[in-house]
Each structure stands twice: as structure tokens, then as C-alpha cells.
């Protein structure tokens, strides 16, 4: 990828005019890339969870727009516009909760509109350059977040994480796992307790795999074991990522995060959320207004081809929950750590981000 730093796991890569993405549905049993050539195909990849994790979804969507622009570069200006509008709408409908998707699409649209006077092939190339920049920026942001967050972890810290907020969920380095990586790079002996993360098992399949690859000590637990380990004093901190933070600091993240936050509060364990400012949605007043994706019942009644639940049972499958700001010890952003996040502190942070992009 253009402009990226060395990156152990290349979740997405630009290769010979195509987007390639690691197929996260089959990890860790298989490691394979799938190739994408259109916005429609990328949207399907996002829907199917080939790529997942808020920042990675945003990067994929940006490349989806670029792919569509490149394959339509020989059309007339009005045809090109029609194709791009369709691309924006199909990608925008792929998943509802992660705001990075809409953030990346808005940024691609702003860039596109700034190119209105240019020839179509020039517009297409500039959109690809913008997608590369979004990708490279994500790694820079994650590294900055990692540096701020690493300072919060003591040498020897045992850190619980939920879902996968690692390199696989971003362009590289990761958000929550990025903090852990940065702490390890700084010489701290940090170990990870990974919640398996029912029902899609991002913790068991992806976080455990990433940590094993890098020889960062990792212990896998089922989600319902976290409270027990806390009662035994075996967890020093919790760090998770997020899909969207509301203006008052409420945090949407993978289903089960709220449960962990309540437990951490009960046990006096710091609960940190690693969060690029692109994940903060100032247009949403509080967590109740964050759209929560409901996914297929088959994810709860079984796994892949195997069904263990009774045929005909009723099922709920909300993919995210909302942790109220009062349970969040700090948001770790690329611009620094916001302790006890609230409406005023987030407004100050975002004002700073707007003034000094
Ligand atoms: O459904 P997923 O796998 O896309 O959910 C991902 C998460 O909940 C992550 O914790 C979140 O996107 C932060 S990723 C840096």
C-alpha cells in the first residue's frame, strides 16, 4: 500500500489495480486473500464480514469508491457521476453501526466534489490517492494512539480485551491491540486475556491469532469467565475498541462490551476505550441514538454449517451494545487521553481536531 508503514498483518492491500482483503471469516484455519474489483463486491465483502472492524471497514469503503471510479474512468462525466452515486449508496448500506464507514465515504465525497472541473480519469486517480491516504493515515493514527495508551499500562499488566480491535480491524497496528503492541514495543511485559466474543468469535479466531503471531502472551477465555477472573485479581485493565462514540462519550462496541464494563466498574479495574477521533460522532447526542446492527439468527443458533439450537427457537442477535460514558475510565485517542469522557471534554477534543487537522 502506498505510504503505509511496515505492517505485520496486511488486512487490506492494493495489488495490481485490485483491492485484496484477508478473508477473516476463515481465519485462523485458513489464511487467504480475496480480490475485489468493484464497489458492489466490496460492499458484499463488508456485509459478509470478510473485512470487519470499524477502521478497516472505512478503508475498504474508500477503496470501493476508488475501484468504481477506476473501472468507470472511460465513461462520460454524467455516467461517471451516476456510477459513483450508486457506489456511495451501496457501500453506505453495507453495515450500520461503525461510523468510520460513513466518515470515510464523506471524505471520499468531499474529495470527489473538489475535482469537479477535472477530467474523469484524473478524478479516478485522485480518488485512489485519497483511499491510499485514508489507509496510511489510519496506521499513523493507530501508532499515535498506541503511544498515548501504552503509558497507561504498567509493566506486567494483564489486559482483558473483547472482540478484535487489532491490525485485522484496521489498516494496521490496531486500536486496542495497538495500545498493547506499543506497550510491548516500549519494553513492557504485557499479557492479554482475550474474550472469545460470542457469537462470531472475533476474540477466539482473530485476537488470539494476532497475538500468537507476534508472541504476545495471550490466554483465551469464554465471555462468561471474565467476572470470575476479576474476582481473583487476575485482570489489571480492560481495553476495547469502538464502532461509534456519541457526543456525550457513550461507546458502542461489540456485543458483550457493556457486560465487561459493568464488571470492571464493580472491581475497580480501569476500562479504557481506544478510539480514533474519526470514530467520534458529534451528531449523535447519546448512545441510545446509535444504530445497532441486528445480524442473522444463524450466528446464534450455531456456527458455520453446524446448528446446535432447537429448530424454531426465537433468537435475538444485536451485534453491538452501548457502554455509558460513566463506565469509561478514559478514551485513548491519537490526540491524547481523555479521562472520564463527557460532552464537554469530547467537544474540546473535537474542536482541537477541527482547528489542527
Ligand atoms: O462486527 P465487527 O467484527 O465489525 O465488530 C468489531 C468491533 O466491535 C471492534 O471492537 C470495533 O470495530 C473496533 S475495531 C478497531
Amino acid at each position: 500500500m502506498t505510504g503505509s508503514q511496515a505492517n505485520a498483518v496486511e488486512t487490506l492491500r492494493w495489488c495490481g489495480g485490485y483491492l485484496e482483503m484477508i478473508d477473516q471469516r476463515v481465519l485462523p484455519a485458513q489464511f487467504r486473500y480475496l480480490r475485489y474489483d468493484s464497489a458492489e463486491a466490496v460492499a458484499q465483502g463488508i456485509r459478509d464480514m470478510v473485512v470487519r472492524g470499524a477502521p478497516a471497514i472505512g478503508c475498504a469503503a474508500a477503496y470501493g469508491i476508488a475501484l468504481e471510479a477506476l473501472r468507470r474512468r472511460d465513461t462520460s462525466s454524467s455516467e461517471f457521476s451516476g456510477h459513483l452515486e450508486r457506489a456511495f449508496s451501496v457501500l453506505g448500506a453495507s453495515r450500520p453501526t461503525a461510523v468510520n464507514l460513513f466518515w470515510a465515504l464523506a471524505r471520499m465525497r468531499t474529495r470527489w466534489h473538489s475535482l469537479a472541473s477535472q477530467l474523469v480519469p484524473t478524478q479516478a486517480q485522485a480518488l485512489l490517492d485519497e483511499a491510499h491516504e485514508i489507509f496510511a493515515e489510519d496506521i499513523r493514527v493507530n501508532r499515535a494512539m498506541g503511544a498515548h495508551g501504552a503509558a497507561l499500562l504498567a509493566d506486567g499488566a494483564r489486559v482483558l480485551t473483547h472482540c478484535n480491535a487489532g491490525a485485522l480491524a484496521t489498516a494496521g497496528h490496531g486500536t486496542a491491540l495497538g495500545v498493547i503492541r506499543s506497550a510491548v514495543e516500549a519494553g513492557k511485559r504485557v499479557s492479554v486475556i482475550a474474550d472469545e466474543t460470542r457469537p462470531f468469535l472475533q476474540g477466539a479466531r482473530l485476537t488470539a491469532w494476532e497475538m500468537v503471531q507476534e508472541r504476545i502472551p495471550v490466554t483465551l477465555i469464554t465471555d462468561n469467565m471474565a467476572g470470575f477472573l476479576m474476582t481473583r485479581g487476575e485482570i489489571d485493565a480492560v481495553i476495547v475498541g469502538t464502532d461509534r462514540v456519541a457526543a456525550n462519550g457513550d461507546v458502542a462496541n461489540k456485543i458483550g462490551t457493556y457486560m465487561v464494563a459493568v464488571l470492571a466498574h464493580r472491581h475497580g479495574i480501569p476500562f479504557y476505550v481506544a478510539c480514533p477521533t474519526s470514530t467520534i460522532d458529534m451528531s449523535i447526542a447519546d448512545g441510545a441514538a446509535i444504530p445497532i446492527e441486528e445480524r442473522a439468527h444463524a450466528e446464534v443458533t450455531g456456527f458455520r454449517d453446524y446448528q446446535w439450537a432447537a429448530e424454531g427457537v426465537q433468537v435475538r442477535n444485536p451485534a453491538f451494545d452501548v457502554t455509558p460514558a460513566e463506565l469509561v475510565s478514559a478514551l485513548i485517542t491519537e490526540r491524547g487521553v481523555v479521562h472520564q469522557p463527557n460532552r464537554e471534554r469530547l467537544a474540546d477534543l473535537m474542536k482541537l481536531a477541527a482547528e489542527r487537522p
Side-chain angles (χ1 to χ4, degrees), residues 19 40 83 170 246 252 254 288 307 311 319:
L19 175 66
E40 175 71 56
H83 288 301
T170 63
K254 181 52 53 194
Q307 183 182 319
E311 197 68 50

Side-chain angles (χ1 to χ4, degrees), residues 49 52-55 57 95 98 162-166 169-170 174-176 200 202 240-243 253-254 293 295 319-320:
M49 310 278 278
R52 29 68 48 202
I57 292 171
R95 286 191 79 189
H162 191 74
C163 194
N164 172 268
T170 63
T175 58
F200 207 68
Q202 289 93 331
V240 297
T242 169
D243 287 77
N253 192 47
K254 181 52 53 194
E293 176 181 18
R295 293 189 61 83
F320 300 92

Side-chain angles (χ1 to χ4, degrees), residues 59-116:
C59 291
Y63 279 112
I65 295 296
L67 281 167
E68 202 58 35
L70 289 168
R71 72 200 279 259
R72 307 296 184 182
R73 63 167 27 123
D74 294 328
T75 58
S76 71
S77 180
S78 69
E79 283 170 332
F80 183 75
S81 292
H83 288 301
L84 274 203
E85 286 299 352
R86 274 190 291 282
F88 277 106
S89 89
V90 73
L91 285 161
S94 56
R95 286 191 79 189
T97 304
V99 76
N100 307 60
L101 169 70
F102 308 101
W103 172 89
L105 289 174
R107 188 159 147 180
M108 293 300 281
R109 183 178 283 283
T110 302
R111 182 72 186 115
W112 179 36
H113 288 172
S114 78
L115 299 161

Side-chain angles (χ1 to χ4, degrees), residues 153-219:
L153 297 181
D155 186 27
R158 296 154 301 174
V159 183
L160 181 131
T161 190
H162 191 74
C163 194
N164 172 268
L168 287 167
T170 63
H173 197 64
T175 58
L177 295 189
V179 170
I180 288 163
R181 281 194 168 93
S182 293
V184 170
E185 281 170 15
K188 291 183 178 171
R189 288 159 300 174
V190 173
S191 57
V192 175
I193 295 115
D195 274 352
E196 72 173 343
T197 318
R198 279 276 291 143
F200 207 68
L201 307 180
Q202 289 93 331
R205 296 187 303 104
L206 308 177
T207 295
W209 180 78
E210 272 197 55
M211 295 293 92
V212 166
Q213 297 300 300
E214 290 184 37
R215 298 196 163 80
I216 296 176
V218 59
T219 303

